[in-house]
Amino acid sequence: QSVLTQPPSVSAAPRQKVTISCSGSSSNIGINSVSWYQQLPGTAPKLLIYDNNKRPSGIPDRFSGSTSGTSATLGITGLQTGDEADYYCGTWDNSLSTGGVFGGGTKLTVL
Amino acid sequence: QVQLQESGPGLVNPSETLSLTCAVSAYSISSGYYWGWIRQPPGKGLEWIGSIYHSGNTYFNPSLKSRVTISVDTSENQFSLKLTSVTAADTAVYYCARYVLGVAIAADYWGRGTLVTVSS
């Protein structure tokens, strides 16, 4: 049971847009910034978004992040088959179980 | 380009200690940032294990805290993980990473990961 809740899977057609949600609480997303990672099969996670909506160098602007209250959202526009991957949200939790936390991951299928 | 490389045994006996090292290149650990360990059981999601600063300051996942030690060797520019009393549930790909934001909020550089299997 992950501290952050993500849908297990989402799907969309090439060139379309998709959003992935990440639901948390007042002890994590509500007070700390969120990051998003892309994990292609058999590879290490790759940072896509940090500090809620910032993109590291080299990440295309097709990827965007936003937060509202205790939830965060990753948006991907102009979907490509190469975007098929698992996506994870992450942040810090300030509850009694303080520490780094991740969502359970969302499998994106580009139909 | 910052690079991280995990090393250590790929097979550990139950009840023994898992030991891994992460060698960092193209960046001095002493220059800053937190450095962490994350694991991923086969077919499952990511789990943060703990993070360390070059001063030795550490933070651990509460669920693993009693079994985890993370240390840093700035002279060798590497940091290490020890996990005691392992069971099959500790079988996972173990990653080391650099946290560019916070203790464990955003990791910008990752190692390739190393699979550790706990089995006799």
Side-chain angles (χ1 to χ4, degrees):
Chain A
Q1 194 82 355
S2 302
V3 173
L4 306 178
T5 301
Q6 297 181 235
S9 63
V10 296
S11 62
R15 298 180 298 281
Q16 296 303 304
K17 173 183 177 178
V18 71
T19 60
I20 298 174
S21 62
C22 175
S23 178
S25 69
S26 58
S27 65
N28 43 66
I29 294 178
I31 54 173
N32 293 307
S33 61
V34 176
S35 57
W36 288 92
Y37 303 89
Q38 177 194 61
Q39 186 175 34
L40 297 170
T43 69
K46 175 183 179 181
L47 184 65
L48 288 179
I49 299 289
Y50 69 99
D51 204 10
N52 300 329
N53 55 20
K54 297 180 175 59
R55 285 176 285 106
S57 174
I59 301 300
D61 59 8
R62 298 189 300 108
F63 296 92
S64 64
S66 64
T67 59
S68 178
T70 58
S71 294
T73 301
L74 172 70
I76 310 174
T77 59
L79 277 172
Q80 304 172 0
T81 55
D83 295 332
E84 275 207 353
D86 293 322
Y87 292 83
Y88 294 90
C89 57
T91 187
W92 183 262
D93 190 285
N94 287 85
S95 68
L96 290 177
S97 298
T98 293
V101 291
F102 290 101
T106 298
K107 169 66 177 178
L108 168 63
T109 300
V110 181
L111 302 168
Chain B
Q1 176 83 342
V2 180
Q3 291 187 325
L4 295 88
Q5 178 66 58
E6 305 89 351
S7 62
L11 181 64
V12 181
N13 291 318
S15 80
E16 296 191 346
T17 297
L18 178 160
S19 296
L20 296 174
T21 296
C22 180
V24 180
S25 57
Y27 187 88
S28 172
I29 287 179
S30 298
S31 295
Y33 296 123
Y34 272 88
W35 303 83
W37 289 97
I38 302 99
R39 70 180 183 178
Q40 184 172 36
K44 296 187 178 181
L46 303 170
E47 180 181 35
W48 174 74
I49 298 171
S51 300
I52 189 166
Y53 198 62
H54 64 79
S55 62
N57 192 35
T58 51
Y59 290 83
F60 300 114
N61 185 322
S63 69
L64 299 169
K65 186 174 183 177
S66 63
R67 299 194 290 131
V68 173
T69 302
I70 297 177
S71 59
V72 63
D73 184 340
T74 54
S75 65
E76 295 291 331
N77 212 40
Q78 62 187 30
F79 59 104
S80 300
L81 168 71
K82 290 188 185 300
L83 181 65
T84 62
S85 304
V86 297
T87 69
D90 295 309
T91 293
V93 175
Y94 285 75
Y95 297 100
C96 58
R98 184 183 84 166
Y99 280 101
V100 67
L101 185 61
V103 174
I105 292 182
D108 61 346
Y109 288 99
W110 295 65
R112 290 188 173 185
T114 186
L115 174 62
V116 178
T117 302
V118 178
S119 175
S120 55

